[in-house]
């Protein structure tokens, strides 16, 4: 076949922090060696897209194309790509798997040394962008940038999935739902009959709840400042709901300790607030209490907690993408969804055409959605 050329397509471009996205015609280069070009099918909006878009704190990288929780179809392949062919169905991933680095071959980690979380808005291989407008670079997000009709990703940042799986649903497995399930299963290994506390009941927190329920946790306590989450959370396995606004924050962990006879077995931080880590640690029990942090901090990246919390036997564990190795593990999560062993559809509260992408941003900012799926 002839080698692919530059294409122009529509993309939702962010020109500045917190500014509404603008639909632009962008140029997209052909895939470089070991990259693939994808026709994006659906992309759901994740909280971390919003955090990076509104952040005054993170390095301002604009103009930029956000979006990372996506599904699509391979349009063309770069030199040296053997794993994909035109027409393959794929999920994009914000943290890749090269399968050869020390981390990938360790059998202990999903934090690829070569294709890990990209923060500078460029491609891993050459620190450049594939998008431009009139010759000026438009930056990437997490080396995925799926709020575009087409995108280019490293072949290690895409996963081939069954062509029978509905692309407009499984995009959620590309980040939020998988991250939560993995935190419960791979990172915490929640055990039967245990007590779990989850701070933040967005798609990530509610996926932790789903994962904990499937492992037979007997109590799943959900904490969220949005009172609307109380009813919603029950559908995902949350058995008790606490709104911290009706208690003083200092007493939140005391309340949890009291109702759990000294603290939960596991607690999960799914808010993206490092200030909650102390509370999350205090909310689990002496001896074996385990706190897992999933949230990407929105404001202050440093954290602090009294050392005594660790001396008494607690563990604090961080994770990215719930410990899943995307290439090795995502296809089987898609199969579990197809076999109705895990819920994905219930997280989709809104379906929107690409033109309405700013509505999705507003809904999430206002806490009115779980996942908005944007259809390209
Ligand atoms: N106390 C209790 N609940 C709160 C508080 C608070 N102080 N502040 C906010 N909340 C609640 C909100 O009401 C909301 O219900 C929930 O916390 C957060 O949910 P969402 O829907 O905004 O966000 P999610 O679930 O999509 O994601 C939240 C994370 C913070 C986990 C986010 O960082 C994330 O998506 N992480 C994914 C994992 C990852 O590694 N990503 C890296 C690139 S995506
Ligand atoms: Zn995400």
């Amino acid at each position: 076949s002839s080698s692919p050329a530059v294409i122009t397509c529509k993309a939702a471009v962010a020109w500045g922090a917190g500014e509404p996205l603008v639909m632009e015609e962008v140029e997209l280069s052909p895939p470089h060696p070991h990259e693939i070009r994808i026709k994006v099918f659906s992309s759901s909006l994740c909280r971390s897209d919003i955090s990076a878009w509104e952040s005054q704190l993170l390095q301002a990288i604009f103009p930029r194309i956000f979006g990372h929780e996506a599904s699509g179809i391979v349009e063309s392949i770069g030199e040296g790509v053997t794993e994909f062919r035109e027409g393959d169905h794929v999920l994009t991933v914000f943290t890749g798997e090269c399968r050869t680095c020390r981390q990938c071959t360790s059998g202990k980690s999903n934090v690829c040394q070569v294709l890990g979380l990209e923060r500078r808005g460029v491609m891993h291989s050459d620190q450049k962008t594939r998008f431009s407008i009139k010759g000026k670079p438009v930056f990437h997000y997490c080396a995925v940038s799926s709020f575009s009709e087409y995108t280019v990703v490293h072949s290690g940042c895409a996963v081939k999935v069954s062509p029978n799986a509905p692309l407009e649903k499984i995009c959620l497995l590309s980040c939020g739902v998988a991250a939560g399930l993995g935190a419960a299963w791979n990172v915490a290994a929640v055990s039967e009959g245990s007590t779990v506390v989850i701070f933040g009941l967005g798609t990530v927190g509610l996926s932790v709840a789903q994962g904990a329920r499937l492992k037979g946790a007997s109590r799943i306590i959900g904490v969220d400042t949005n009172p609307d989450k109380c009813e919603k959370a029950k559908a995902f396995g949350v058995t008790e709901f606490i709104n911290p606004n009706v208690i003083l924050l200092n007493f939140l962990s005391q309340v949890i300790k009291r109702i759990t006879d000294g603290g939960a077995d596991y607690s999960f931080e799914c808010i993206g607030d490092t200030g909650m880590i102390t509370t999350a640690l205090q909310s689990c029990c002496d001896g074996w209490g385990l706190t897992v942090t999933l949230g990407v901090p929105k404001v202050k990246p440093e954290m602090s907690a009294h050392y005594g919390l660790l001396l008494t036997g607690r563990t604090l564990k961080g994770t990215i993408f719930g410990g899943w190795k995307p290439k090795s593990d995502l296809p089987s999560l898609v199969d579990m969804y197809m076999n109705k062993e895990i819920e994905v559809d219930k997280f989709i509260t809104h379906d929107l055409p690409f033109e309405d992408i700013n509505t999705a941003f507003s809904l999430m900012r206002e806490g009115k959605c779980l996942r908005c799926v944007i259809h390209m």
Side-chain angles (χ1 to χ4, degrees), residues 46-49 68-69 94 141 174-176 371:
C46 169
R47 170 57 68 168
S48 60
D49 291 307
H68 63 281
E69 204 175 87
F94 63 89
Y141 178 64
S174 149
C175 179
R371 280 297 188 258

Side-chain angles (χ1 to χ4, degrees), residues 97-106 111-115:
E97 184 182 346
C98 78
R99 296 186 133 156
T100 54
C101 74
R102 177 182 174 208
Q103 295 277 327
C104 281
T105 55
S106 69
V111 187
C112 176
Q113 270 172 313
V114 182
L115 301 171

Side-chain angles (χ1 to χ4, degrees), residues 119-268:
R119 295 164 188 280
R120 293 167 14 161
V122 291
M123 294 299 279
H124 288 98
S125 57
D126 61 359
Q127 313 291 300
K128 291 201 167 79
T129 74
R130 303 291 175 264
F131 290 103
S132 59
I133 296 179
K134 299 194 180 85
K136 295 226 170 76
V138 176
F139 294 96
H140 297 247
Y141 178 64
C142 290
V144 173
S145 292
S146 53
F147 295 151
S148 174
E149 290 175 321
Y150 290 85
T151 191
V152 168
V153 303
H154 194 284
S155 60
C157 297
V159 180
K160 199 195 294 199
V161 295
S162 160
N164 301 324
L167 291 171
E168 70 280 11
K169 311 281 189 211
I170 60 168
C171 54
L172 274 71
L173 290 171
S174 149
C175 179
V177 171
L181 287 173
W185 295 348
N186 307 328
V187 185
V190 167
S191 58
E192 206 180 331
S194 59
T195 298
V196 172
V197 188
I198 302 165
F199 296 90
L201 303 175
T203 295
V204 174
L206 293 175
S207 296
V208 172
Q210 168 170 212
R213 176 177 63 184
L214 290 170
K215 292 290 172 199
S218 59
R219 291 177 73 187
I220 304 174
I221 302 164
V223 180
D224 202 295
T225 43
N226 179 348
D228 298 346
K229 296 290 167 110
C230 179
E231 264 317 299
K232 285 194 182 134
K234 287 183 185 146
F236 297 93
V238 171
T239 57
E240 291 144 83
F241 178 78
I242 300 175
N243 181 346
N245 287 340
V246 306
I247 332 167
L248 287 169
L249 181 60
N250 294 343
F251 290 116
L252 179 56
S253 61
Q254 288 179 40
V255 168
I256 293 168
K257 279 188 122 119
R258 197 177 63 228
I259 64 172
T260 57
D261 186 26
D265 299 294
Y266 311 95
S267 65
F268 294 86

Side-chain angles (χ1 to χ4, degrees), residues 277-359:
I277 291 188
T278 304
T279 309
L281 278 168
Q282 285 167 341
S283 302
C284 57
C285 66
D286 285 346
W288 62 82
L290 170 64
T291 297
V292 179
T293 64
L294 293 79
V296 175
K298 292 188 190 108
V299 195
K300 185 176 159 284
E302 295 81 17
M303 57 183 201
S304 72
H306 196 288
Y307 190 67
L309 289 165
L310 301 181
L311 283 178
T312 43
R314 284 173 195 74
T315 304
L316 174 62
K317 226 169 165 180
T319 173
I320 192 149
F321 198 45
W324 298 115
K325 295 175 80 162
K327 281 200 197 281
S328 312
D329 301 329
L330 264 186
S332 50
L333 270 186
V334 171
D335 293 343
M336 288 185 82
Y337 165 70
M338 296 299 281
N339 296 332
K340 298 191 161 48
E341 293 163 48
I342 54 171
E343 279 280 358
V344 173
D345 301 12
K346 269 205 299 212
F347 292 96
I348 303 173
T349 53
H350 301 76
D351 285 282
L352 294 166
F354 193 21
E355 306 83 76
D356 293 347
I357 188 163
N358 284 302
T359 307

